[in-house]
Structures are given as C-alpha cells and as structure tokens.
Amino acid sequence: MKFIKKIGKKLGIIPDNKTDEIMDERSKIKMNMTKSLNSIGFSEDEIQEVLSILTKCEQDVQKIKDEMIGTNINNDFAVEITQQKLNEIRKLELETANNIKNKISEIKQRKSL
C-alpha cells in the first residue's frame, strides 16, 4: 500500500499530508527506540517508562501549538509570539531528550546493565 501511495503522491493524485508524515516518523522513532531498548534487555514496563516521557513531550508540544492558534490575526506581535513559542518547543525537546537519557541510565542502574 505504501508503494501505491508513493506513486500517487508523485503523480499528484494523492495530496501530500504532512500530519500523516509526521505521525509516521514519530511511530518509526518509537519503534526504533523500543527495538533498541528491548535488545539491551529492557522489559515492556521499562520501555513504557521511557516512551511515556516522549508521549508527554508530544502532548506538551501540542498544547503550545494550540496556544498559537489565532495569534496571527489582528496581532502586531505575531512574529514575536511565534518565535517565543518555537523557543519553548525547542527547550522542551532538549529537556525531553535529557530526561530520556536519564531515565535509561536510571533503569540500567536498577538492572545493573
């Protein structure tokens, strides 16, 4: 089915959908992380501990994006607001990456890996 979608997109029959692409990419990241953690001996519960950090980040980013809805309408400070929100998202992503590393280290220490 993916092959047919790719051909359809190339021919312009099926429009590009960035949301679907983003969701696919997120899904791939989670699957790769799950495989990596599973390969070093993490249990399903431990993997969920790590993935819950990523899920929380996704939810927090969505809240920030929701706050931006309508900021460009009759607003002289739309660029500044957008830049501020993008900075918040970047900060959140960096914190999440750090939290994931820390959680993995914590679980490894518990398991003595």
Side-chain angles (χ1 to χ4, degrees):
M1 185 65 176
K2 278 188 173 185
F3 178 71
I4 294 171
K5 281 185 180 181
K6 284 182 181 180
I7 291 174
K9 287 180 182 181
K10 296 270 185 194
L11 295 174
I13 299 168
I14 299 173
D16 286 337
N17 187 339
K18 292 292 182 186
T19 302
D20 287 343
E21 290 178 26
I22 292 169
M23 295 303 286
D24 286 345
E25 190 63 32
R26 286 180 183 170
S27 195
K28 288 177 187 176
I29 290 169
K30 287 180 180 180
M31 286 181 66
N32 286 338
M33 187 178 291
T34 299
K35 286 179 185 176
S36 296
L37 294 174
N38 199 10
S39 71
I40 60 172
F42 278 39
S43 70
E44 290 299 318
D45 289 339
E46 292 165 337
I47 292 170
Q48 285 306 314
E49 281 183 62
V50 175
L51 292 180
S52 68
I53 296 169
L54 191 55
T55 302
K56 177 155 179 13
C57 176
E58 290 173 342
Q59 292 168 347
D60 291 344
V61 167
Q62 187 59 49
K63 286 178 189 175
I64 293 170
K65 289 165 68 176
D66 290 345
E67 292 172 2
M68 292 174 58
I69 295 172
T71 56
N72 62 337
I73 300 171
N74 296 327
N75 190 338
D76 295 333
F77 302 104
V79 173
E80 291 85 0
I81 293 169
T82 303
Q83 188 60 49
Q84 176 190 4
K85 296 299 181 183
L86 288 174
N87 289 339
E88 286 179 35
I89 290 171
R90 285 188 191 107
K91 181 181 174 189
L92 183 60
E93 289 172 342
L94 291 173
E95 288 174 5
T96 299
N98 196 29
N99 290 342
I100 288 172
K101 287 178 190 176
N102 291 338
K103 180 56 80 175
I104 290 171
S105 294
E106 173 190 319
I107 293 171
K108 282 182 174 181
Q109 285 178 351
R110 280 194 316 226
K111 294 178 75 84
S112 300
L113 292 177

